[in-house]
Amino acid sequence: MEEPALFAELGIVDGLRILDLGCGDAATGRKLLDAGCRSYLGMDGSASMVQAATATLHGTTGRAVQVDMEDFSASPSSFDLIVSRLALHYVEDVAPVLAACHRCLSPGGRLVFTVVHPMLSSYDSGTQGTRTSWVVDDYFVRGARQREWMGGTATWFHRTIEDYVDALKTAGFALSSLRECEPNEERFAGDVGEYERPRRVPLFLLIAAGRL
Ligand SMILES: C[S@@+](CC[C@H](N)C(=O)[O-])C[C@H]1O[C@@H](n2cnc3c(N)ncnc32)[C@H](O)[C@@H]1O
């Protein structure tokens, strides 16, 4: 559901050198390459995701590497745009990641990322299946949250919206856009029930910032 807001925010990518942090299967990378970006590098901490990304990028100039975001570094000015989609909330401390982004972006380069909306990442009631109610609690209690997920434990790190904005400013970025990814009725193809549900609470937060 954050895809329309993300691509609207990315705008024309023609000729850009793009880095994707937490690229998953690089489906986004494939779209960016189809849209004419000059180069695409996906990074992901999971070997199986990098394998899936490599398959997705087969036959293109894009590539994917296994690197934890916390450890990534690249040459100064080696990218024009950094994208990160639904991955930064898995990082405990975003400050070093944002500093590394700042170092490797060209002057005027942009960082655009989405995360699970802090309204949702604050508290997890453990409900399985389709949610019909949401609880916002412990909003100003930052840090790890966990839930049982596919036979294991999924851990994410809650931050407030203000925390993301402050971390960007500290890393040397200027906020250019903040979107809460309101659902687009056309994407629900007449399924009013499914459209009404995500209108009740914001699910995703998108932040775009420019390198100062
Ligand atoms: C919800 S998936 C999103 C994948 C992709 N960006 C997309 O939108 O389809 C989150 C991805 O972040 C990766 N990830 C989580 N923590 C990471 C870390 N510390 N460093 C690098 N990748 C990480 C996971 O392996 C996973 O592929």
Side-chain angles (χ1 to χ4, degrees), residues 7 21-22 37 50 54 62 64 81 95 108 112 116-117 143 146 154 162-163 188 198-199 205-206:
F7 279 89
L21 296 176
C37 72
V50 171
T54 303
L81 172 64
V112 182
V116 167
H117 199 291
Q146 293 189 319
E162 202 173 306
D163 293 338
F188 289 85
R199 291 185 76 205
L205 174 70
L206 178 152

Side-chain angles (χ1 to χ4, degrees), residues 2 6 20-28 43-47 49-50 67-71 84-92 114:
E2 28 78 79
L6 179 76
D20 183 357
L21 296 176
C23 65
D25 67 1
T28 304
M43 284 185 184
D44 202 285
S46 151
M49 281 298 154
V50 171
V67 180
D68 283 331
M69 272 187 270
E70 295 88 333
D71 301 330
S84 182
R85 194 168 172 186
L86 299 178
L88 273 172
H89 52 272
Y90 295 115
V91 172
E92 182 164 13
T114 62

Side-chain angles (χ1 to χ4, degrees), residues 3-182:
E3 185 158 309
L6 179 76
F7 279 89
E9 200 55 52
L10 295 179
I12 296 169
V13 297
D14 202 21
L16 300 183
R17 299 165 299 166
I18 301 179
L19 170 65
D20 183 357
L21 296 176
C23 65
D25 67 1
T28 304
R30 186 85 207 199
K31 288 179 184 164
L32 294 169
L33 286 159
D34 288 346
C37 72
R38 182 163 133 206
S39 64
Y40 171 86
L41 176 64
M43 284 185 184
D44 202 285
S46 151
S48 56
M49 281 298 154
V50 171
Q51 202 178 5
T54 303
T56 304
L57 297 170
H58 182 73
T60 74
T61 56
R63 64 191 185 93
V65 290
Q66 187 183 357
V67 180
D68 283 331
M69 272 187 270
E70 295 88 333
D71 301 330
F72 105 86
S73 67
S75 310
S77 294
S78 48
F79 298 101
D80 307 302
L81 172 64
I82 299 180
V83 182
S84 182
R85 194 168 172 186
L86 299 178
L88 273 172
H89 52 272
Y90 295 115
V91 172
E92 182 164 13
D93 182 5
V94 288
V97 180
L98 297 181
C101 289
H102 189 271
R103 276 194 298 276
C104 70
L105 272 174
S106 53
R110 292 182 301 143
L111 167 64
V112 182
F113 66 87
T114 62
V115 287
V116 167
H117 199 291
M119 292 272 287
L120 287 189
S121 67
S122 67
Y123 180 82
D124 182 45
S125 57
T127 316
Q128 301 291 336
T130 306
R131 273 200 213 177
T132 54
S133 63
W134 291 264
V135 175
V136 178
D137 200 353
D138 290 335
Y139 186 77
F140 291 106
V141 181
R142 283 85 171 171
R145 309 285 195 271
Q146 293 189 319
R147 85 158 9 209
E148 298 314 307
W149 179 250
M150 296 177 78
T153 305
T155 303
W156 67 94
F157 297 90
H158 169 68
R159 280 176 277 278
T160 66
I161 296 176
E162 202 173 306
D163 293 338
Y164 281 112
V165 173
D166 284 348
L168 281 167
K169 282 201 274 190
T170 302
F173 287 94
L175 183 76
S176 56
S177 183
L178 189 152
R179 296 180 182 226
E180 292 178 292
C181 308
E182 186 177 346

